[in-house]
Structure formats: C-alpha cells, structure tokens
Amino acid sequence: MKETTLKQIAETLGISITTVSKALKNYSDVSPKTKQAVLDLAHSLQYTPNSFAVNLRTKESKTIGLIIPEVVHHFFSSVINGIIAEAEQHGYLVIILQSNESLELEKKQVALLLNKRVDGIIISLSNESNHDAHLKEILQREIPFVQFDKISKLIPSSKVLINDQKAAFEAVEHLILKGCKKIAHIRGPVNPQNAIDRFIGYKKALEQYNIPFDSRLVYTCKNVTFEEGKMFAKEMVSQHPDVDGVFVITDLVAVGVLAYFNEVQIQVPQQIKVIGFSNWFMSQVITPKLSTVDQPSYEMGVTAFNLLLQEIQSKKDSQSFEPQVIELNTKIIERESTL
Amino acid sequence: MKETTLKQIAETLGISITTVSKALKNYSDVSPKTKQAVLDLAHSLQYTPNSFAVNLRTKESKTIGLIIPEVVHHFFSSVINGIIAEAEQHGYLVIILQSNESLELEKKQVALLLNKRVDGIIISLSNESNHDAHLKEILQREIPFVQFDKISKLIPSSKVLINDQKAAFEAVEHLILKGCKKIAHIRGPVNPQNAIDRFIGYKKALEQYNIPFDSRLVYTCKNVTFEEGKMFAKEMVSQHPDVDGVFVITDLVAVGVLAYFNEVQIQVPQQIKVIGFSNWFMSQVITPKLSTVDQPSYEMGVTAFNLLLQEIQSKKDSQSFEPQVIELNTKIIERESTL
C-alpha cells in the first residue's frame, strides 16, 4: 500500500502536524490557502485519513453494521433493502455481515464491527446463538443496538419483532377452521426464539380447539431449506398418512412440501392443507398458490434503522435512551393451499 | 464510548507505551508475565486495538470487502455464500455492501472500503456503472481487486465471468431447434456488460439461423423483477400475438412471464416457449418447469475469493501479480417450458 502520513505532509509544506490535521478536518482556524495546499498534497500522495482519526472529532463514522444469519431467504433480503433505503436517506452506509447461522462467526463479526467503530449495530441472531456475551459487550460499550426477528430476549436492547406465538396460533387456527383434524408442524431449529414461539403458538391452537398434541407430528428443520420441506413431507405422509393439515415454519420450506406433494400427486388442499409463513412473493406463483402469514419484512428493516437512529441521536445529544420494543402486525393470507 | 488508551495501560502498570504495544502484538521480547498483565488490564478496560494500529505491523486486516448490486436475486446470494465459505476457511471476514444498483452509492462504498483498509475488494457493478474512476482508484492504491459477473471490461483487474454471448447464443439456438420462428428477448438494462453480451448472443443466433432481427421484439428491463416479467409478457402478446419463443435475461423475470401466461391461459410450451437464465432453484418448482442456462454462482464466489487471495499473497510476498480472467462454463438445462 502506498501510504503517507500527516508527518510527511507537514514536513513537505513546512507546517506543523496539528495544522495538517486541522486542515484535513476543515477547521476554521486554518487559512483557506493552507487548507488547499494540504488537500492537494494529500490527494497527490493518496493519503487516506485513518477512519479512527477522523472520528476523534465527530465521534461518528456514518456507518452502521448489520449482522444477519443468511440472505437466501427472501425475508432477509427484503429486510436488508428496507434498512439500506432508510439508512441512505439519512446519509449512513450499511456494512452487512452474514453469520451463515454460525455463532463463532457471529462473535467475530461483532468484534469486527466494534473494532471498525460503527455508529450502531443491527442484528438478527444465528440459529446457534444460545450465548450472549458478545451481545452484552455491545451494550457495555454503549453502542446503539437493535435486534430484529431472531433475538435474545434477555438482552435489553431495542427490538423489532412480530408476535410469532400469536401469528402461529392464527395460522393453525385457520387450518382447524378449514376442517383439519390432524395437524403436523414442520418447525424451525431448536434455538431461535421465533421458532420456539411459533411452535408454542401451534400447541396453543391445538389446545384451544381440544386437539391432542402429538410430538411425533413435529418435524424439526436444521437448515430451513426447500430440500428439507420435500424430505419431511415424504417422511410425514409415510409415517402418518392421515395427517390432513400442516403448518410450516416458512414459505421456502412449505414450497418444498408442495413440490413433493405435486410429485407424488397428493391433492392439496383436498387431501391435505398447507400453510406457510412470511409471504414470500413466490408463494403466489406456485401451484397450488400457498396460504401464508404475511410478515412485514421491508417495514421491519425501516423500523429497525429508525430505532437505531433515535439511539444514535440520543447518544450524540448526551441524552438517555430507553430501549424500545416494537411489534409489527401480521395477517393470514388465504390462497389455494387451504381452500 | 468507553475507551481507554495504551497510555492509560502503560501508566497503570508502570511500563512504557512501547512495551504495552508489543505485549498486545505478542512480540517475543516481552515477558509472558507482562503480556498477561497487559492483556488482563486491556480486557477489563475494554480496550479495542485500533484496527489501523494493528495493521501497521502485519499490514493485514484479514477482512475483505464485497460490493454487490443487490441480494434479491438468488444468483447473488449464492455467490455471497461461495465467497463467505471460502473466506472463512482462510480466516477472512467478509464485509458486504449493497449498492442497490446505484453508482453514487457504489462510489461511496469503494471509498469506505479503502478507508477501512480491507485486504482486498470483490465487486459486481451496479447497472448504473458507466464510470470507473472509483475502480481505477482501487488499482492505483494497489489493493487486490477482483470483478465478477457485472464488470468493467476496461479495468485491468482479475475477473470471474461466464461467456454471456455464447450462453445466450445457445439459449436462443435451443428455442430455434425446438421450432420457434419468431423469438422475443426480454433483456437486462442498457449498461451492464452481461446484459449487452446476452443481447448480442440473441442477435447472433438469429443471424446464424437466418431469422430477421426485429428491434420491436426486444423489451428492456429497468429493475429486473418478477413484476417486469409479467408486464412485458402482457405487452408482448398484445403487440405480437404470433411470437412463439422468448429468451429472458434471468429466471426471476422469466417466472413473471410464466405467471402471466398461466393467468391468461396461454399454453407453454405449445403456444410459446420460454427459456430463462441462471438456473434458480425455483425454476424447477413452478408449473411448467422452466428451461434455463445453468450459471455456476456458488463456484463463481469460490473462484473470485481464491483469485483475490492469490493477489493478497503475492502482495505480501512482494511479488508481482498478473491479473487473471477466469471463464466458468454454462450449460442449457431443458425442462417443460421448451419441450
């Protein structure tokens, strides 16, 4: 790397390092002529101000960090778009890190963001995250911090959520009201709070309508993929051919379920009704069109950024900030798969 | 921010700043006892080494930057996964920035990455990028640099590509060999080289088979979305009801085309044959299953990272590095939409 230093600039122009530094920061007590000379030389020497040094004055990097588990699900790419659109309007750049559902990587990424001195951090946790020392570290450093979707309940940061229990309850209730008597659940992995809450919602709906809970009807995804949907659909119909309804953790997996049923010509919704979660746009393109729970992903991104910005502002103004928990509304979208 | 400095640690322990700095960098001329004392104090004071300072010795941040236009298309999320998997194996973290197809944002993001002193940069350009001063800046700074998919031909960096002209030629030839006589093209935006090349491939195939080119049969996407696919399909069949084949820039848009044809009950492939590009996994789930060009996205990510790593290594070893252009193979996947 061709790098030069404030010292070289100072020596070349015969001025003090302090003056060079002030000129680069556009301080008013340096003459326009000197400023121009410093900027010209800095430019021709390809000098990059060290981001830390720049921050000493403003204490701002105008950069925020976003850690997400993956980008394959449309939900996350849509949240990202909401965050970026809102951040750009307020002059912030967004550094995205993808934890690939790995706690180890997530910890390194939090350390990197703290090290790179971002103005704030937004996180949706990896499925492995049952450990929160790295999240506490963010709070201890007093870095503005918002969790969304997959969160740690015990960490008192701001949060943007949906009511997963209620949404799942409504999805299963929808199946029951459509006449299903034996309802399976393809659930998410064991750790994430949202998978736990959707499972609880499933159980509560069965209980409310006096349908006995049977743990053999619960299938647990490891990677939450299309392929797992196909696999569990196959397992389910061979083990429990009388299942007449299934509530699936997310649309991508539900589309896998439908793909298997199409392959082996099991009629949906006549033989078995299927409802997904998230309202992925593809869910209305496949045959049969998938019923689902609409989860406001873009809006979740916008809301998360705005909460973070409030905290960044409060910190700048040296005011206290009370973390907020915002719950966004979901709704059942009825399509062909539960008619 | 609660921050402390090397100076505080030095004063507290009654040692020199140099010793503190050496201890934190694990130099061998500091005693294990002193190292431990420094590390313990640094930890309890929540001292973060400034990343720039750390780099003065190793000149490495073990972090690379990735700028991509968007993450909604499965192609990019799959490339990201390839890059991250490979980077992690070699101990690198990946900072992702999404330009949202905006040249203005892309420029800011290049500046940010240079400022944050990443070890290398991988880029796929935004659709607006017809300007390359920011890319030249990366070369001038001698930062290892790889372009992939949407590239600037004139910038002499390493590149990972497919042969878009050839792949598009083969897709259109496939339609012709299946009997299509009047073939439309829903193309990508005007700027990106890959959209230009696919358009050229379309024209060359028509020419080769003596089918006259008609510019009215070419529809140009602005945002490359599912919705644009539906919209152009509608426009196309109302303006040119005798079109019997269509080659679409990417599967997401092609799925929009199929969705419209399903809605208005136009028979695919009987009335009109459709071929997409990229081999998105959803293309085999919809009805009818979509024929497409398989584009090795995950492999593209792996290859891009490895090229970057070679350049990083060469730079570390002060050896010269000749930029490489690697072309990956594509192939036609025949499914129901062109039977």
Side-chain angles (χ1 to χ4, degrees), chain A residues 162 167-168 170-171 247 251 275-280 291-295 330-333:
Chain A
I162 56 166
E170 289 169 358
F247 164 50
D251 286 354
I275 188 162
F277 204 108
S278 79
N279 198 19
W280 183 25
S291 297
T292 187
V293 176
D294 183 55
Q295 186 183 15
T330 57
K331 63 171 185 286
I332 301 292
I333 309 281

Side-chain angles (χ1 to χ4, degrees), chain B residues 109-126:
Chain B
Q109 292 172 336
V110 167
L112 178 77
L113 290 177
L114 292 173
N115 188 266
K116 296 276 175 195
R117 292 161 200 278
V118 292
D119 292 342
I121 296 176
I122 301 177
I123 291 191
S124 183
L125 299 179
S126 80

Side-chain angles (χ1 to χ4, degrees), chain A residues 292-308:
Chain A
T292 187
V293 176
D294 183 55
Q295 186 183 15
S297 47
Y298 188 90
E299 189 188 345
M300 196 173 256
V302 169
T303 310
F305 179 80
N306 282 321
L307 266 183
L308 192 73

Side-chain angles (χ1 to χ4, degrees), chain A residues 73-117:
Chain A
H73 286 87
H74 187 256
F75 170 74
F76 284 110
S77 57
S78 176
V79 174
I80 291 176
N81 288 338
I83 292 176
I84 288 181
E86 200 65 15
E88 213 200 337
Q89 279 198 15
H90 292 89
Y92 284 81
L93 283 171
V94 183
I95 290 179
I96 307 170
L97 295 160
Q98 177 177 313
S99 68
N100 259 356
E101 303 286 7
S102 149
L103 172 61
E104 221 34 60
L105 205 47
E106 184 182 289
K107 285 185 192 168
K108 281 188 204 164
Q109 293 172 335
V110 167
L112 178 77
L113 290 177
L114 292 175
N115 187 267
K116 296 276 175 194
R117 292 161 200 275

Side-chain angles (χ1 to χ4, degrees), chain B residues 156-318:
Chain B
S157 72
S158 288
K159 298 178 183 99
V160 186
L161 297 169
I162 55 165
N163 188 329
D164 282 288
Q165 271 191 39
K166 179 166 162 277
F169 181 96
E170 289 170 357
V172 177
E173 184 177 48
H174 174 77
L175 292 174
I176 295 169
L177 298 177
K178 289 290 174 176
C180 297
K181 307 274 182 228
K182 186 163 182 175
I183 299 172
H185 178 32
I186 300 181
R187 61 163 288 170
V190 282
N191 273 324
Q193 190 62 48
N194 65 357
I196 295 168
D197 283 335
R198 288 179 203 173
F199 172 63
I200 294 173
Y202 160 76
K203 287 219 292 190
K204 282 192 173 164
L206 296 182
E207 199 185 331
Q208 171 105 4
Y209 287 90
N210 299 311
I211 298 177
F213 168 71
D214 178 350
S215 63
R216 292 169 308 167
L217 299 181
V218 178
Y219 298 84
T220 305
C221 289
K222 204 163 163 264
N223 302 311
V224 195
T225 57
F226 173 80
E227 287 73 24
E228 281 182 319
K230 285 183 82 166
M231 182 182 82
F232 287 132
K234 187 174 178 182
E235 215 174 303
M236 186 172 73
V237 292
S238 79
Q239 294 171 343
H240 308 281
D242 53 340
V243 161
D244 57 5
V246 55
F247 164 50
V248 188
I249 182 77
T250 192
D251 286 355
L252 179 66
V253 180
V255 167
V257 170
L258 291 181
Y260 176 74
F261 289 166
N262 283 342
E263 258 176 50
V264 297
Q265 289 164 1
I266 290 174
Q267 301 295 315
V268 177
Q270 295 83 351
Q271 287 173 260
I272 185 163
K273 300 186 199 306
V274 181
I275 188 163
F277 204 108
S278 78
N279 198 20
W280 182 27
F281 74 98
M282 281 305 297
S283 59
Q284 49 183 310
V285 175
I286 49 166
T287 308
K289 295 187 172 79
L290 179 68
S291 297
T292 187
V293 177
D294 183 54
Q295 186 184 15
S297 46
Y298 188 90
E299 191 189 343
M300 196 172 256
V302 169
T303 309
F305 180 81
N306 282 321
L307 266 183
L308 192 74
L309 189 62
Q310 280 179 39
E311 189 172 348
I312 292 173
Q313 280 296 349
S314 300
K315 189 177 158 186
K316 227 160 75 175
D317 303 342
S318 303

